């Protein structure tokens, strides 16, 4: 399996995990309680910040909401993250763990990609190759 195929499978897992969380926490309901709003905002942002972001309309459809609500939720996520809001962190911590392994894979992929693109000769590529074989990268 190529790395690109692995990333595509991982992104399908993100969507599947989001659907499971929506059902588990009943996030498609009309509830306006703070923890539900915060969890929805977090998931909106996760689905929108993938390698191939979901369309706003598709994200909204998962939650029985329109695209404008998704936009507002993403802004809410960014604002509360910038403020390091303790209630936001508390309410989203339980679902953040579902997404973390996927973010870690993407981070490693992007890091490796940058290092490969910064190579200027075959010697530097051989060094990366040996690091990969030793699992040191």
């Amino acid at each position: 399996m190529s790395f690109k195929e692995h990333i595509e499978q991982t992104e399908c897992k993100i969507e599947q995990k989001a659907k499971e969380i929506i059902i588990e926490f009943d996030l498609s309901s009309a509830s306006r309680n703070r923890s539900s709003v915060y969890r929805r905002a977090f998931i909106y942002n996760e689905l929108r910040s993938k390698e191939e972001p979901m369309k706003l309309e598709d994200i909204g459809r998962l939650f029985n909401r329109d695209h404008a609500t998704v936009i507002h939720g993403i802004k809410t996520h960014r604002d509360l993250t910038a403020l390091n809001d303790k209630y936001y962190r508390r309410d989203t911590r339980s679902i953040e763990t579902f997404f973390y392994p996927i973010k870690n894979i993407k981070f490693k992929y992007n890091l490796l990609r940058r290092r490969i693109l910064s190579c200027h000769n075959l010697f530097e590529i051989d060094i990366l190759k040996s690091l990969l074989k030793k699992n040191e990268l």
Side-chain angles (χ1 to χ4, degrees), residues 3 20-21 34 49 54 57 60 77 84 101 115 119 121:
F3 196 75
E20 292 172 16
I21 293 169
R34 181 176 52 211
S49 62
M54 282 182 73
E57 294 83 8
H77 166 79
N84 203 16
R115 293 204 50 189
C119 290
N121 55 46

Side-chain angles (χ1 to χ4, degrees), residues 27-32 36-37 40-45 55-57 59-61 63-77:
L27 299 178
S28 62
S29 70
S31 172
R32 290 185 180 182
S36 293
V37 170
R40 278 193 291 264
F42 180 84
I43 296 173
Y44 295 159
N45 189 69
K55 293 180 181 178
L56 295 169
E57 294 83 8
I59 296 171
R61 217 172 283 124
F63 292 88
N64 296 323
R65 306 245 174 337
D66 65 6
H67 72 283
T69 305
V70 175
I71 292 169
H72 178 71
I74 292 169
K75 288 179 183 176
T76 300
H77 166 79

Side-chain angles (χ1 to χ4, degrees), residues 38-121:
Y38 286 176
R39 288 177 178 142
R40 278 193 291 264
F42 180 84
I43 296 173
Y44 295 159
N45 189 69
E46 289 301 311
L47 294 174
R48 192 65 179 162
S49 62
K50 298 186 316 175
E51 194 76 23
E52 292 183 24
M54 282 182 73
K55 293 180 181 178
L56 295 169
E57 294 83 8
D58 294 338
I59 296 171
R61 217 172 283 124
L62 288 174
F63 292 88
N64 296 323
R65 306 245 174 337
D66 65 6
H67 72 283
T69 305
V70 175
I71 292 169
H72 178 71
I74 292 169
K75 288 179 183 176
T76 300
H77 166 79
R78 290 181 184 154
D79 292 344
L80 293 171
T81 303
L83 290 171
N84 203 16
D85 185 271
K86 69 179 181 179
Y87 299 111
Y88 184 76
R89 282 185 289 123
R90 182 197 65 202
D91 290 339
T92 59
R93 189 175 300 128
S94 59
I95 61 173
E96 187 175 15
T97 57
F98 292 115
F99 293 100
Y100 181 76
I102 296 164
K103 280 185 164 184
N104 194 24
I105 291 169
K106 284 176 145 181
F107 175 76
K108 287 181 179 179
Y109 166 78
N110 289 329
L111 178 66
L112 179 60
R113 185 172 183 270
R114 281 194 303 271
R115 293 204 50 189
I116 290 170
L117 291 174
S118 69
C119 290
H120 299 293
N121 55 46

Side-chain angles (χ1 to χ4, degrees), residues 116-131:
I116 290 170
L117 291 174
S118 69
C119 290
H120 299 293
N121 55 46
L122 290 175
F123 178 72
E124 291 174 352
I125 291 176
D126 285 338
I127 292 172
L128 286 178
K129 186 177 175 182
S130 67
L131 290 172

